[in-house]
Amino acid sequence: MMTKKIIHSLVTGIFGAAFSLAAVQSTAYAAVPASVQAQQQDRDFIRLKERFLSALWREDADTALWAGKFDSAANLAVPDQKSRTQRLAFDELWLGRFAKLDGASLSASQSTDLALINNYLASSRWYLTDFREFEWNPSLYNVAGGLDVILNTDYAPKAQRVRSLIKRLAQVPAYYQAARASIARPTAEHTRLAISQSAGALDVLAELEKAGKTVKLTAAERSLLSQRIAAASTAVQGYINWLGDLEKTLNPETARSFRIGKQLYEGKFTADIQSGYSAEQTFERAVKAKEEAHRNMARLADELWPKYMAGQAKPEDAVQKVAMVIDKLSENHVRREDVFKEIRQQIPILQDWIRDHDLVELDRNKPLIVRETPVYERGVSVASIEAPGPFRPHDKTYYNVTPLDSQTPEQAESTLREYNHWVMQILSIHEGIPGHYVQLQHANKSPSLIKSLFGNGSMVEGWAVYSERMMLESGYGGNTPEMWLMYYKWNLRTVCNTILDYSVHVLGMSEADAMQFLTRQAFQTDSEASGKWLRVQYTSVQLASYFSGYSELYEFREQRKKALGNKFNLKQFHEEFLSYGSAPVHIIKSLMTKG
Ligand code: ZN
Ligand code: ZN
């Protein structure tokens, strides 16, 4: 039985992949008008795209690194005014070049690429001219990420990587000097974040020192490495001290607020989300979704009451009633030392489920590795996926989980109740299978480099959130009222994040009101709610991206179901949707419904 099952899923694996490629090609080519002129337009665009990308890799070494291109690993770009002026000129130059093309005469797939490139360049320009985060967010400056990715990515023999790092380290003092010169009016919140995250850079430097001892270097290289590590550590420590002094001078009355305000919020929403709706409309849609979730939860709480709450007086207030049932269910959670073990054993169960239920393809050659979140990345989320860029499709994908080590027993208990038996499974669906991990696998095999590179965050998060509901609809979790109630609680987080983000950044919501809102309306524990409050101070718009992408995707699937009737096939829908790479949902929708 077992063997048969495995062979069966291998066979569908092969056909599934063939199908998905065919779907992409037929869409790309069917949309090309028969005229030779249109094909010529595509060819011109493809050539310009290639020139643009090679210019981009020269201009933006950091983006190259994150995409998995290590050609300039030895050079650390110094974030000074000169580099920003140069970048702005680059954005203008290429926006001008692409503006000369007639997007309407390109094939569907190429015109999507053009839209993504234009949006990328316009966003980059907007960030430099309007958002100007480089002046007020000191946590933008951190050498840890680049050092870590070079040290720990297997793109070349380790000794060669360490040699590149020796060269790269030479620029670290200049890097932090430029950082100090760039910071004009920081927020207190981002200053404190930068101080704590910079400590992580010291950890990476210590790790590099250790790694240097395990590879073959000449005596001269060895001494250069330790000199430069010492100088880099001094520069990082100097930055931390400087920020510490700076923070003391910040007056809460006059310092820049972390709230970005309506104008920057709408601008950032346009730049980052690329939704068919405005920020304000999305906020209003989220308010409606919250009310609907509350109605469903009240019904589920009534259903569960006799099983869990027998003998207790049922409150009139629906929110209170739901909260009591959630509270009771939350007792079912793992011990703090078992969090990793639990997540590790969930992965194969989820893999089997999506194969057995024919939901989406999974590449079994690319294992998902559960690990502790590296220190310099901590401070924002509990769990995250770290996947290789499109140039490094064979690299490892990590499922980062932030350990509870630094939490007191009370804080840990609160976190564990939040990530209880049911929510822990939904978390693994979201981050791993078939959420981010599966989406990124598909994106990296997408034939469009542009769509892989300039991925749309809202589509990426939207898919992960969508996959939670899709899994439950397929029967994962046994269709129990417990699972559904916890699902709504979890989904409400996405919905309420959107409401929170807009309310805090645009409507001036206070910390006390935010905490009240999250714990009462979204049923979050204190530790989750205070984590969210930290996050909404450090980031903007990002918290709204989940609901935006999810609601657009779910709406689209329902429309598709209706339009195709019994010809609708869920796996086909997923394969086709994912085959376009991480493009905005409304662009994928127009590609899938065309012709
Ligand atoms: Zn407990
Ligand atoms: Zn996510």
Side-chain angles (χ1 to χ4, degrees):
M1 273 303 276
M2 263 323 255
T3 324
K4 226 175 181 177
K5 216 177 234 173
I6 290 164
I7 290 168
H8 173 76
S9 67
L10 268 177
V11 171
T12 46
I14 292 158
F15 282 105
F19 165 78
S20 131
L21 265 180
V24 173
Q25 286 176 355
S26 70
T27 314
Y29 294 108
V32 175
S35 78
V36 178
Q37 200 194 349
Q39 288 173 20
Q40 186 58 43
Q41 284 276 0
D42 267 19
R43 279 198 290 271
D44 290 348
F45 173 62
I46 290 164
R47 261 198 299 276
L48 191 60
K49 229 170 26 174
E50 279 163 9
R51 279 178 54 208
F52 163 67
L53 281 177
S54 38
L56 180 68
W57 304 139
R58 281 194 303 276
E59 169 59 34
D60 191 340
D62 281 352
T63 300
L65 213 57
W66 292 117
K69 265 185 105 66
F70 290 88
D71 311 9
S72 45
N75 301 317
L76 173 65
V78 173
D80 56 9
Q81 186 52 47
K82 189 177 148 231
S83 73
R84 286 189 291 271
T85 308
Q86 197 181 315
R87 178 57 199 243
L88 197 56
F90 174 91
D91 295 338
E92 297 284 3
L93 174 72
W94 284 96
L95 276 168
R97 284 182 178 156
F98 284 111
K100 293 201 186 93
L101 286 172
D102 176 15
S105 63
L106 292 173
S107 64
S109 179
Q110 299 300 341
S111 76
T112 310
D113 279 9
L114 178 60
L116 287 175
I117 291 172
N118 278 329
N119 190 274
Y120 168 76
L121 291 168
S123 293
S124 166
R125 181 175 61 181
W126 181 84
Y127 271 87
L128 286 167
T129 57
D130 290 54
F131 202 52
R132 302 180 69 81
E133 199 172 3
F134 59 85
E135 288 179 342
W136 53 263
N137 181 0
S139 78
L140 285 184
Y141 307 103
N142 196 330
V143 295
L147 297 178
D148 180 65
V149 79
I150 294 165
L151 183 61
N152 293 312
T153 307
D154 221 8
Y155 69 90
K158 196 163 190 182
Q160 189 183 323
R161 273 144 49 204
V162 171
R163 278 188 199 102
S164 292
L165 285 167
I166 294 174
K167 291 186 185 142
R168 188 178 183 88
L169 285 174
Q171 290 298 313
V172 172
Y175 178 98
Y176 283 103
Q177 213 165 7
R180 291 192 205 186
S182 301
I183 295 164
R185 220 185 137 207
T187 78
E189 292 76 10
H190 292 94
T191 305
R192 287 191 287 269
L193 179 67
I195 291 170
S196 76
Q197 289 190 338
S198 294
L202 295 173
D203 292 348
V204 175
L205 287 167
E207 190 193 338
L208 175 55
E209 180 137 52
K210 253 190 243 155
K213 293 185 178 121
T214 66
V215 295
K216 226 176 155 182
L217 298 172
T218 66
E221 284 169 337
R222 208 169 283 283
S223 100
L224 196 56
L225 176 64
S226 58
Q227 270 172 40
R228 287 189 175 164
I229 286 178
S233 303
T234 304
V236 174
Q237 193 56 58
Y239 186 58
I240 295 173
N241 297 344
W242 182 78
L243 290 173
D245 291 342
L246 184 63
E247 202 233 328
K248 285 182 208 126
T249 70
L250 295 177
N251 180 339
E253 304 295 312
T254 55
R256 184 190 174 101
S257 168
F258 70 87
R259 299 174 202 274
I260 67 173
K262 178 147 174 92
Q263 198 187 345
L264 287 183
Y265 197 94
E266 284 290 354
K268 196 166 190 252
F269 193 84
T270 304
D272 294 356
I273 305 254
Q274 304 172 58
S275 153
Y277 300 95
S278 70
E280 195 175 9
Q281 286 170 328
T282 304
F283 165 71
E284 284 158 3
R285 276 155 63 86
V287 171
K288 281 208 187 85
K290 185 198 78 178
E291 284 155 10
E292 194 191 318
H294 278 183
R295 278 194 298 276
N296 287 324
M297 293 171 92
R299 180 177 47 76
L300 291 161
D302 283 335
E303 200 180 328
L304 289 165
W305 195 271
K307 183 171 169 191
Y308 291 93
M309 312 298 288
Q312 293 199 54
K314 196 151 84 172
E316 286 289 308
D317 178 46
V319 169
Q320 208 185 331
K321 173 178 70 189
V322 170
M324 284 174 75
V325 178
I326 287 175
D327 204 46
K328 180 73 188 162
L329 293 180
S330 301
E331 287 172 7
N332 189 347
H333 65 74
V334 297
R335 292 177 304 174
R336 67 190 285 176
E337 60 271 29
D338 292 336
V339 170
F340 282 89
K341 206 178 87 189
E342 179 70 14
I343 286 176
R344 274 207 194 91
Q345 75 191 24
Q346 276 167 6
I347 301 304
I349 295 171
L350 292 167
Q351 283 172 332
D352 287 349
W353 183 273
I354 67 163
R355 286 190 188 115
D356 296 349
H357 294 78
D358 225 13
L359 298 174
V360 64
E361 280 309 319
L362 189 62
D363 186 345
R364 54 173 66 218
N365 294 319
K366 292 169 187 164
L368 180 59
I369 297 155
V370 184
R371 71 164 180 185
E372 292 194 354
T373 311
V375 172
Y376 72 91
E377 290 174 9
R378 289 182 196 175
V380 170
S381 32
V382 174
S384 63
I385 273 289
E386 199 171 319
F391 295 110
R392 311 274 319 155
H394 301 296
D395 285 351
K396 291 167 185 148
T397 302
Y398 295 105
Y399 183 171
N400 288 335
V401 181
T402 303
L404 308 180
D405 302 357
S406 62
Q407 299 194 354
T408 64
E410 293 74 29
Q411 287 169 334
E413 173 66 13
S414 177
T415 305
L416 291 166
R417 287 173 65 90
E418 182 77 19
Y419 292 91
N420 57 56
H421 172 70
W422 295 279
V423 170
M424 190 86 102
Q425 298 176 61
I426 301 172
L427 179 70
S428 289
I429 291 173
H430 177 103
E431 298 296 339
I433 295 162
H436 289 316
Y437 168 60
V438 171
Q439 190 270 321
L440 288 164
Q441 267 189 2
H442 282 72
N444 281 350
K445 72 182 178 191
S446 148
S448 166
L449 192 53
I450 294 295
K451 292 185 194 72
S452 302
L453 290 170
F454 306 131
N456 177 264
S458 180
M459 179 274 181
V460 171
E461 289 302 345
W463 167 264
V465 173
Y466 162 80
S467 73
E468 299 159 8
R469 176 151 190 171
M470 184 271 287
M471 284 292 275
L472 262 64
E473 287 174 345
S474 79
Y476 181 84
N479 247 323
T480 60
E482 287 91 342
M483 191 61 161
W484 276 107
L485 182 65
M486 282 301 176
Y487 163 78
Y488 277 115
K489 176 184 181 280
W490 176 260
N491 183 255
L492 207 48
R493 173 207 303 245
T494 294
V495 172
C496 289
N497 280 345
T498 305
I499 300 172
L500 175 80
D501 202 52
Y502 192 85
S503 300
V504 169
H505 283 286
V506 179
L507 307 175
M509 184 186 250
S510 70
E511 178 177 358
D513 287 350
M515 290 296 289
Q516 167 86 0
F517 171 72
L518 293 172
T519 52
R520 286 271 307 156
Q521 305 277 301
F523 307 98
Q524 293 187 6
T525 57
D526 287 346
S527 85
E528 185 67 15
S530 47
K532 200 51 57 64
W533 174 251
L534 278 181
R535 189 165 165 190
V536 77
Q537 294 174 87
Y538 300 149
T539 70
S540 49
V541 174
Q542 205 261 341
L543 281 171
S545 65
Y546 297 60
F547 174 74
S548 171
Y550 156 71
S551 54
E552 280 186 301
L553 167 52
Y554 197 84
E555 196 175 69
F556 174 43
R557 191 197 71 183
E558 293 305 289
Q559 285 166 2
R560 201 72 179 147
K561 256 186 188 167
K562 224 181 229 169
L564 294 179
N566 58 15
K567 288 200 196 92
F568 178 83
N569 176 295
L570 189 60
K571 185 179 187 178
Q572 253 171 43
F573 174 81
H574 293 152
E575 288 298 311
E576 196 182 350
F577 184 84
L578 293 176
S579 72
Y580 294 99
S582 314
V585 176
H586 78 272
I587 290 187
I588 300 177
K589 180 178 165 178
S590 71
L591 285 171
M592 281 177 70
T593 47
K594 207 166 179 167

